[in-house]
Amino acid sequence: MIRRRDLLLAMPAGLAASALPRDLALAQTVVPTPAAEPKLEPKLPAGFTLGASTSSYQIEGAVNEDGRGASIWDTFSHTPGRIKDGSNGDVACDHYHRFAEDVELMAQAGFGSYRFSVAWPRVQPDGAGAPNVPGLDFYDRLTDRLLARGVKPFACLYHWDLPQALQDKSGWTNRDIVGRFTDYAQLVATRLGDRVPRWAMLNEPSVHAIFGHAFGNHAPGMTGWKNYLAAQHHMNLAQGSAIRALRAAHPKLGLGTVFSLQPVLPATGKPEDAAAAVRFDAAWNGNNLDPLFHGRYPEISAADFAPFIREGDLDAIKVPVDFLGVNYYGRAHVVDDPNGVIAGAGWGPHPPGTRTTAMGWPIEPQGLVEVLARLRDDYGNPQTFITENGAAYDDPAPKGGTVDDPARTAFIRDHLLACQRAIADGCALKGYYVWSLLDNFEWAEGYSRRFGIIHVDFATLQRTPKASFAYLAAVASGAPTGTILTGP
């Protein structure tokens, strides 16, 4: 049992703004969380899972080996001007050949679980038909190595690397993809379901829909509100369809999905920004949560989705889940933007004094508590795992067999303390997976941003555990962490 005296900060109180829904008004009253005192250490409950996450395109490499087909990220990253540093994921971290080394590092850290994603084009090069056996063999080897080293595998079926052959048929904007995804999910679960206990259908469908289908700065590079709506709805349908199919065929599997969730706040006191926050919250959070848990889209979104909804769709999307994965990085501070592609809203300034990462993202651990409280209060308090949380910083070069990354270590510590507070407040949080195990190909940022707790030299592919790795290993073992933690 977590004791209150071990918690970091009491939740601040304030007056709610009448212009916002209850959960947004609550978030609006919360001031940025100060840096935690170095002496405080997380004290997580027995049975709490500590692990790491990655995704296939960002780390595997081997894009032309063993029958793998092209993905939308292969196409996108090879298009001039799309990636900040002109790079691609052709080699990435070469995890395809070096997975045994990476599993060994996880075992040394004492991680209880590893969330990885399966590359759809490695399993079905054209997005349909019989499986590519060598591709499935890779995930067989990975799964067996994880189990041999005492690390439970946690598979995510889709982390944005759609087969290009399906994108050529309009991808997620084509309703036919629902059946394709369900077939693919069944192929993978049939091969690995005897050893992989927990399965996520999708990773961050709202982010994929917004950045890949509305803004166009992620693969597949589509733009416009209508493309966002079609992609979002069809991902919701595919998620529900796959869960139902897998539950029927493999009733013992733990089935769920992964959403990026963040409190959405108006960046100013203007009424128009408060209204924009409600619209943006629906696009980022509600258009995933409400269909899954309530069988409807948020009222503010319903009319926009109506042209894409057929009879029975909402019943098909609403399906019981054994868990919900939550990816959390910070709050969204938004302003009204009449030209904004997403709900006529855009990102605004952070509150004065807010610390940020190298990505420019706000560091707001208390926002994680707010997200989990919202799930508790509005969505039935599902069993939850933090499936991504981490930070990019401009790390120094390795020295003496390590990388000193005190800011990242402090970031992780503060968010583990936020997990602790949420559990004490009755949230059904069961685990935390850091993003990411390895420095990797960071989508449109290429290799210019490093999130890993293990440094990767992209010229030699040598791995060097960072101080944040040592910190998490200490947390996993229950050892004191104060001598490791030296950051702000």
Side-chain angles (χ1 to χ4, degrees), residues 380-392:
N381 203 18
Q383 178 172 265
T384 304
F385 295 87
I386 304 306
T387 38
E388 287 185 26
N389 176 250

Side-chain angles (χ1 to χ4, degrees), residues 359-381:
M359 295 288 289
W361 297 349
I363 302 171
E364 299 171 311
Q366 187 63 22
L368 177 55
V369 181
E370 296 157 18
V371 163
L372 294 171
R374 181 178 184 178
L375 293 175
R376 179 196 64 203
D377 296 343
D378 297 345
Y379 298 99
N381 203 18

